[in-house]
Amino acid sequence: MRGWCARWSGSGRARLRWLAALVCWGALAALALPRLQPAPPRAHPAPPARLLLQSEAASTPAPMPSTPPSAPRIATDTRVLTEDELRADAERRLPSLPLAYWHKHRNDKNKFYKKKDCAPFPSIYDLEFHNTYWQTLRVKTDVFHFYGAYMDARNTSRIGPAVRVLAVHDRIKPTMTTHCQLWFEEREAPVVVRNLEYKYVWNSKWGNYRDGVLQPYLLACVLPAEVRHLVPASVSIVVDPCDRATNNLRVHYDRPKPPLAQKEFAVCVKGLDFLHEDLSVRLVEWIELIRLMGADKIFFYELQVHPNITKVLNYYNELGVTEVTPITLPGGQPNLPGLQHMYLKKKTTHKRQMELIPYNDCLYRHMYQYRWLALLDIDEVIVPLEDGDWSSLMKRVLPLSQPAPGKPPRSSYHASNLYYLDSLRHEHGWEEGVPRYLHMLQHVYRTRNFTKPGQYVKAFHETERVLALHNHFPLACLGGSCSSYALETRHARLQHYRADCVTALSKSCAELRAQPVRDAALWRWRGALVAAADAALTALAFLPPHR
């Protein structure tokens, strides 16, 4: 177009050339005009999604157009937690952290011992955490990892009121002098006392008795006379009295207040390690059976579990039947899912030592709430044979178990171990009249004989008497030596539902499996157990066809 206009403007008569040029350049201007107009203003971008979650205290954005009623709503969590709610959530997740006490006194200028640079009240931001649930004290080549602290005001304790601290240490005979900085609500300055002892919560004959391996211990911080009527809010373990602490543990003291009374039975379950095993249905059956036996509550500790097990535990937590406490392995031991399971399966002695941490935490956190604690796995149960529950069993047993004159009172009551092995049931097929998915009710064939006396027993432990617990017997007791009463096998026994005998009994397992006996003792609770388990499985949508 432009070339054609140029040719016409340069030829013919002048007037005609001028007219042709005017027409051509006008046409060019008309074509170019739209391109020369300014671009329309750009729309402002939508505000980031995170702004929609801000609290109302934030600046209010321009009003957004209303959403049509038919438009779908985005189902996101729009809550904004307050500072108090955040602290409460953190204390729930980490029970050993005295967060509320620290927050209340974080700005107190007189929280120190004798002078400002001597034992100042530690900030939670200066504590050394390890593997989430542990706090640490490092001194040269020695290391302590602390899990929990507990007020022990039991009448049977000869040292009087004291704070017990549950820890692991990489020495078998600690010689280091340590001190306890005890912080009280009623006092500005801490009370500093020397740690009385390192109580070894293990037996040297069981293995791993060497330096460099984390060993379980109980420390004891005895309260001086002037504060024996008080309960510390928190405690720090240090070397020198004036040290700035790198640990600060909340002191647990959960004594029921009147009119609440001490209950009878609770069950403690060590760290669950079932990452890839879906034992959810078996767990439901076991929990409902333990409830029928008379347990008021079951306290679980959790390492790694299958999502369906988590679903079961959440269901019972909401009912108030269970309480779940996550736990990790201390030190350099692995906590990566999968690798942790492989480690615990290979390092069985390390596993047994670390199991004593949740067992003794369970004892000290609940010793005022319950008279008896049973340490059970989810494949075993103490079954009364002449009574309907554990309470009736103990009413029968207590008069029979009185110690001889001059002997210490009983510290525990243990039941002998009897195996209900999977292989014995498989040889006889399914039991009629019992749902096939209820494992224990389906297994009615047991070994003819018990394991040897004292082997693989489980017990009811007197919380007023025991000082340190192992999964089979007390390791130490208050008010004298430990004294465990063997329940007569006509009264009660431990029914243990396993695939096979434990590894240590591999040589004698064939003898135990020989001539199995059909014994449906558990069927006394069959109707109630099936009804309770089915109700729970239905609520969880685990029963067919939903599963």
Side-chain angles (χ1 to χ4, degrees):
M1 182 76 178
R2 184 179 301 173
W4 183 84
C5 290
R7 287 196 304 271
W8 266 95
S9 62
S11 63
R13 301 174 190 153
R15 183 177 298 178
L16 187 60
R17 286 200 307 267
W18 180 85
L19 182 60
L22 182 63
V23 172
C24 288
W25 290 114
L28 284 173
L31 290 173
L33 185 61
R35 300 183 184 182
L36 298 177
Q37 291 180 353
R42 297 178 61 184
H44 293 291
R50 60 183 178 83
L51 292 182
L52 301 179
L53 303 181
Q54 301 300 315
S55 62
E56 294 181 0
S59 59
T60 305
M64 303 292 289
S66 60
T67 304
S70 59
R73 292 180 177 271
I74 302 299
T76 57
D77 189 350
T78 60
R79 295 174 302 168
V80 178
L81 298 183
T82 66
E83 289 293 326
D84 289 341
E85 290 172 330
L86 288 171
R87 284 193 297 273
D89 182 66
E91 281 201 329
R92 178 185 61 81
R93 295 174 184 271
L94 187 55
S96 65
L97 190 64
L99 196 54
Y101 178 72
W102 171 82
H103 179 76
K104 182 177 180 180
H105 299 284
R106 68 192 186 283
N107 295 322
D108 289 1
K109 304 300 182 182
N110 297 318
K111 281 283 187 182
F112 54 82
Y113 183 61
K114 295 183 179 179
K115 53 184 179 178
K116 290 187 177 181
D117 58 349
C118 178
F121 184 52
S123 167
I124 61 167
Y125 304 125
D126 296 329
L127 305 181
E128 183 177 344
F129 294 96
H130 192 80
N131 293 354
T132 306
Y133 304 108
W134 302 79
Q135 296 183 42
T136 301
L137 168 65
R138 299 182 189 275
V139 184
K140 296 180 180 178
T141 59
D142 289 14
V143 61
F144 286 89
H145 297 298
F146 303 109
Y147 184 74
Y150 322 89
M151 180 66 182
D152 188 352
R154 290 176 288 180
N155 295 328
T156 48
S157 177
R158 293 175 179 174
I159 64 174
V163 173
R164 310 275 185 186
V165 179
L166 187 59
V168 295
H169 180 45
D170 58 352
R171 296 288 185 271
I172 55 173
K173 293 182 179 179
T175 58
M176 182 190 308
T177 300
T178 51
H179 291 82
C180 313
Q181 298 173 350
L182 299 163
W183 297 93
F184 295 83
E185 189 67 62
E186 299 84 358
R187 299 168 68 98
E188 289 185 336
V191 174
V192 181
V193 298
R194 182 171 174 171
N195 168 41
L196 179 67
E197 64 176 348
Y198 297 103
K199 171 66 70 175
Y200 191 39
V201 191
W202 188 245
N203 189 310
S204 61
K205 298 178 181 179
W206 296 339
N208 273 358
Y209 191 66
R210 63 183 185 275
D211 288 341
V213 176
L214 291 175
Q215 312 282 343
Y217 288 96
L218 270 174
L219 286 64
C221 309
V222 181
L223 271 60
E226 66 269 21
V227 293
R228 287 195 169 188
H229 63 292
L230 302 176
V231 178
S234 69
V235 60
S236 297
I237 306 298
V238 295
V239 175
D240 296 319
C242 282
D243 283 351
R244 182 183 292 270
T246 59
N247 58 85
N248 191 236
L249 301 161
R250 171 190 172 192
V251 177
H252 290 279
Y253 184 63
D254 299 319
R255 186 186 289 273
K257 297 179 181 179
L260 298 177
Q262 188 181 47
K263 298 176 182 179
E264 286 191 309
F265 298 96
V267 172
C268 305
V269 183
K270 65 191 179 189
L272 297 176
D273 176 33
F274 303 109
L275 179 61
H276 300 296
E277 290 182 84
D278 185 0
L279 300 179
S280 52
V281 176
R282 287 187 61 173
L283 182 59
V284 167
E285 181 189 19
W286 182 82
I287 290 174
E288 294 297 348
L289 179 59
I290 294 299
R291 295 178 71 186
L292 289 172
M293 293 296 107
D296 179 74
K297 199 152 192 175
I298 306 170
F299 298 98
F300 287 95
Y301 290 78
E302 179 183 291
L303 288 167
Q304 313 285 345
V305 297
H306 189 280
N308 280 348
I309 293 179
T310 299
K311 185 177 181 181
V312 170
L313 295 175
N314 289 342
Y315 170 77
Y316 284 106
N317 286 351
E318 292 178 2
L319 295 178
V321 174
T322 64
E323 183 177 302
V324 180
T325 301
I327 192 170
T328 57
L329 300 178
Q333 299 175 101
N335 288 289
L336 183 70
L339 179 59
Q340 183 187 74
H341 172 77
M342 295 164 60
Y343 172 84
L344 294 174
K345 191 172 182 180
K346 183 69 174 179
K347 298 277 192 176
T348 53
T349 305
H350 292 71
K351 175 184 177 181
R352 300 298 179 217
Q353 286 182 303
M354 293 304 104
E355 287 173 353
L356 301 185
I357 300 300
Y359 282 149
N360 285 279
D361 178 73
C362 190
L363 164 66
Y364 279 96
R365 288 182 63 181
H366 308 295
M367 60 186 176
Y368 301 114
Q369 301 164 356
Y370 301 94
R371 178 176 178 181
W372 290 294
L373 290 180
L375 313 185
L376 297 176
D377 295 335
I378 63 172
D379 60 356
E380 59 189 14
V381 60
I382 297 175
V383 178
L385 300 179
E386 297 183 347
D387 300 284
D389 54 29
W390 290 342
S391 182
S392 301
L393 168 65
M394 293 307 293
K395 287 183 176 66
R396 178 189 299 274
V397 166
L398 288 176
L400 303 175
S401 62
Q402 293 299 313
K407 298 294 183 180
R410 300 296 185 186
S411 55
S412 57
Y413 307 81
H414 64 270
S416 298
N417 178 55
L418 196 61
Y419 282 126
Y420 281 71
L421 302 177
D422 286 358
S423 59
L424 302 180
R425 201 275 299 166
H426 296 158
E427 294 171 1
H428 296 86
W430 297 103
E431 293 293 326
E432 297 297 330
V434 175
R436 292 189 177 188
Y437 48 82
L438 295 183
H439 182 89
M440 290 184 289
L441 287 178
Q442 274 289 339
H443 285 69
V444 296
Y445 285 88
R446 62 168 175 83
T447 56
R448 179 169 295 276
N449 297 319
F450 291 83
T451 52
K452 293 180 180 179
Q455 279 192 339
Y456 308 105
V457 301
K458 289 298 175 75
F460 300 117
H461 301 284
E462 286 273 6
T463 55
E464 184 68 19
R465 280 273 285 132
V466 291
L467 173 64
L469 284 177
H470 180 260
N471 57 350
H472 298 300
F473 288 106
L475 291 172
C477 294
L478 301 174
S481 59
C482 297
S483 173
S484 188
Y485 175 77
L487 297 170
E488 295 183 40
T489 55
R490 64 189 176 95
H491 292 152
R493 66 194 184 201
L494 178 71
Q495 295 190 185
H496 200 163
Y497 296 83
R498 287 181 56 91
D500 207 345
C501 302
V502 296
T503 304
L505 295 178
S506 57
K507 293 182 179 179
S508 59
C509 193
E511 180 182 343
L512 285 171
R513 282 197 300 257
Q515 298 179 319
V517 176
R518 191 179 192 281
D519 185 341
L522 211 59
W523 281 22
R524 294 172 55 205
W525 295 271
R526 177 174 56 177
L529 181 54
V530 170
D534 280 1
L537 293 170
T538 300
L540 289 161
F542 281 171
L543 275 177
H546 306 289
R547 185 169 168 77

